[in-house]
Each structure stands twice: as structure tokens, then as C-alpha cells.
Amino acid sequence: MNNKKFQRFVKSFFVAGIIFFAGNIAWAQQRPVLSTIIVDPGHGGIDPGASGQFSTEAAVALSISLKLGKALAEQLPESKVIFTRTTDELPGGLGNIREALRYRADMANQAKGDLFIAIHCNANGHRAGGWYAKRIVGHKNRTVTVGRGSKRRKKTIREPIYESYWQKNNEHGTETYIWAADRIGYKGEAIQSIGGEGEGGENVEDSTNELDLNSPEAMIRAQLYEKKFFGKSLSLATMVEDEFVKQGRDSRGVKQRNEKGIWVLQATGMPSILVETGFITQTEEEEYINSEKGQEEIVAAIMGAIKRYKTSLEGLAPPAPAK
Ligand SMILES: [Zn+2]
């Protein structure tokens, strides 16, 4: 090998080394930041959640969740998707709502999830669709006879005229919940809550009475959540509502709560959100969240947000350690 050939050999060796090194960096950067995503369809089994005029929250949540799982598998194939339930039953086939809630959280934690997304739909505590109510539209005079015997006399009284009218249940829109990172408020105080009862109005509330939020274990979990997961949960929740707005939905915004209805969000050691995809108690929105088109749009909005969230995480990811 002459000198020139040797130089070329050395050069190619260096080039190969640089390509190998660069490849390693690229590989490290491409490692999925969302290795495991937990999709949690709310309610199930003995717990149908809120009821609309023809559908239940449990069924709608399951249908949207399965579509979301499919979209994740197609669009983020490097992420593993785990469902807390894929049938009409409560997670784990359990017959107790509280145990099923723990099961959801345990499942997410054991899988070491990077993200927990609960899918629900909203209700405002009033009759789905609407109800008949009465209102006074005017008054009329009526002559009545009062008194007895010689004291009998005629008297004119004024009476209200009632009209029956249909009161439409019109509360609608999307909202995304995150666990409130607030150390003083672990007594079930809603930090920001406008309008409907949301999850609090559902029958999950009763079943979580024994889920202690004031135990030392829960306090430690809450502090960990505040330090590690609150910011990311808020960021993703904001993106979800932003995507709904882009689609023309009415967004009621991101809500922070720390009440038992969304207990599962703080029990998962990972960023977590609960998406209220629409009000099952409003006629048009119930039709929308049950329709193929509606469910696909809801999934598209959540997917759009997850992808933006993923990109933001990759931007923040520290460089891979040298091998
Ligand atoms: Zn729910």
C-alpha cells in the first residue's frame, strides 16, 4: 500500500467512524419518547356512566378508545398501546367500580406507561335531550263565588296563564381534565369548574368514597405528580382542546380538579389526561359522538395533540449518553 492509498484508507476509516457515530446519535434521538401509551375507556359493565337518549357513556367511550388505539398503531407504530378494557365489561372483568379504578391505575403503572389517556363523555345532571317546563305568559280574570249563606258574593280573581314549553338541554362542548397540582386542596375542592357536574355528577363518585386522597401514600404520589407530570399533562391537555377548537368544536377548556371523580389521573405515575369528548345529554352532541364521522374527528383531534406533544418531548429530550 503506497502512501496515497494509505491516506485514502485512513480517510475512509474516519468517514465510516463518523457515519457510525452519527448513526448512533440518530438512533438515540429516534428512540420513542412515548414507548407505551395507555388508553382508558371510562366506565363499563355495571357502570354505564352518563346516559343519553339512546346511548351510554361506557359504550361511546369504548368505541372512541378503540378507534384511538387503531390510529396510534397506524400513526405512531413505535409506541405500544395498552387498553384498560376492550369489552363492555369493567377492566379486569371486575364487578366493583372502585376495584376497577385501582385496576386501571395498576395496569398503567405496571406497564410503565409514558402517557395515560382516559376517554369519557360529559353530562350536566339534567334529563338528556330536554324536558317540558311551564312558564307564565299572561293573566286572566275569573269570577268566583265566595262566602256562605247571606255572605255569598261574587269576586273576580286574577289567574296566571301557563304555557308548557320545551326546555332543550343545551350544555355542550369538549373539556379536558388534569389533576390539580395543589397541595392544599385535597378535599375534593374543584379549582376551576364552570357549569355542569362533569365527572362529579356521575355514579363513579359514590364508588370512590373509599379511595383515600389524604393518606401519606396519596400525598407522596401527589407531590411526585406535581413535580414530574403536572406540566406535561397540562401541555397535552391544552393541545387536545386546541385541536378541538381547530375542528370548530366548542371548547370549554382545560379543567384542573382534584376530586375523586378523576382519582385515576393522580394514581398513574405518568402524565395523564381525561378527555370529555362531548355532552351525551345534548341531542346533537350525542348523535355526533356516536357517529362514525364524529368519532373519527375526535380521534383526529386527540392524535393531532399527541403528535404535537411527542414533538415537544423530543425537542426537550437530553442527548443520549455516550456508549
Ligand atoms: Zn365519565
Side-chain angles (χ1 to χ4, degrees):
M1 197 185 283
N2 65 30
N3 200 26
K4 223 167 188 180
K5 263 188 180 165
F6 178 73
Q7 278 181 352
R8 227 182 292 151
F9 171 75
V10 170
K11 214 167 143 190
S12 66
F13 193 79
F14 266 106
V15 170
I18 286 165
I19 289 170
F20 178 75
F21 181 68
N24 258 351
I25 290 174
W27 175 81
Q29 284 175 342
Q30 277 163 14
R31 264 185 312 174
V33 290
L34 298 177
S35 294
T36 304
I37 299 173
I38 317 295
V39 177
D40 177 42
H43 312 275
I46 56 161
D47 171 23
S51 290
Q53 291 169 89
F54 64 91
S55 64
T56 65
E57 181 184 4
V60 172
L62 179 61
S63 182
I64 294 172
S65 295
L66 293 177
K67 285 189 175 74
L68 176 62
K70 194 164 165 265
L72 283 166
E74 283 166 8
Q75 297 173 42
L76 295 178
E78 70 277 23
S79 298
K80 184 178 168 191
V81 179
I82 293 175
F83 294 99
T84 56
R85 70 178 175 101
T86 55
T87 71
D88 293 338
E89 294 303 301
L90 275 173
L94 293 166
N96 176 298
I97 299 171
R98 180 162 38 88
E99 278 173 27
L101 271 179
R102 286 199 190 281
Y103 185 94
R104 293 175 206 266
D106 289 347
M107 198 173 176
N109 289 328
Q110 277 159 23
K112 296 190 166 45
D114 299 296
L115 186 58
F116 183 89
I117 303 177
I119 303 292
H120 288 244
C121 33
N122 230 330
N124 67 350
H126 294 293
R127 196 188 178 110
W131 56 92
Y132 280 103
K134 273 183 176 178
R135 65 181 161 213
I136 296 170
V137 290
H139 289 86
K140 63 183 176 194
N141 290 333
R142 191 159 71 93
T143 307
V144 293
T145 307
V146 294
R148 283 182 176 187
S150 61
K151 287 184 177 165
R152 270 172 77 91
R153 59 188 170 87
K154 286 193 159 64
K155 187 185 170 191
T156 302
I157 57 166
R158 244 166 95 75
E159 278 188 340
I161 303 167
Y162 290 102
E163 181 186 78
S164 182
Y165 70 102
W166 180 249
Q167 176 66 58
K168 184 174 160 59
N169 189 341
N170 210 23
E171 201 159 8
H172 68 281
T174 63
E175 47 191 31
T176 300
Y177 281 91
I178 59 170
W179 187 258
D182 173 13
R183 281 179 199 164
I184 51 162
Y186 286 98
K187 305 283 183 195
E189 281 289 288
I191 286 180
Q192 185 202 349
S193 163
I194 30 174
E197 289 85 9
E199 289 304 303
E202 299 181 30
N203 45 8
V204 70
E205 182 77 11
D206 297 333
S207 62
T208 50
N209 282 341
E210 290 165 49
L211 295 171
D212 188 6
L213 292 171
N214 298 303
S215 68
E217 184 206 6
M219 290 296 195
I220 290 166
R221 214 163 47 204
Q223 281 176 13
L224 184 73
Y225 173 85
E226 179 175 355
K227 203 170 150 198
K228 288 184 71 179
F229 310 127
F230 175 77
K232 285 176 179 171
S233 303
L234 176 60
S235 160
L236 176 62
T238 306
M239 289 172 188
V240 169
E241 287 304 312
D242 185 45
E243 293 293 320
F244 279 136
V245 169
K246 282 191 205 162
Q247 289 181 339
R249 300 285 306 276
D250 286 327
S251 167
R252 298 155 61 92
V254 175
K255 306 280 179 72
Q256 296 181 53
R257 278 190 185 176
N258 50 15
E259 64 190 31
K260 285 170 177 173
I262 58 169
W263 174 90
V264 73
L265 292 186
Q266 55 79 54
T268 53
M270 63 201 72
S272 57
I273 61 169
L274 186 152
V275 184
E276 297 278 12
T277 54
F279 276 75
I280 203 167
T281 42
Q282 199 229 27
T283 302
E284 290 79 8
E285 219 160 55
E286 182 182 14
E287 277 163 15
Y288 180 77
I289 60 177
N290 273 279
S291 71
E292 203 62 26
K293 177 180 177 278
Q295 294 191 351
E296 274 165 19
E297 285 179 5
I298 289 163
V299 165
I302 299 170
M303 281 304 301
I306 293 173
K307 286 183 192 166
R308 280 168 63 191
Y309 172 73
K310 182 173 176 271
T311 304
S312 76
L313 289 186
E314 285 163 346
L316 294 172
K323 293 224 162 173

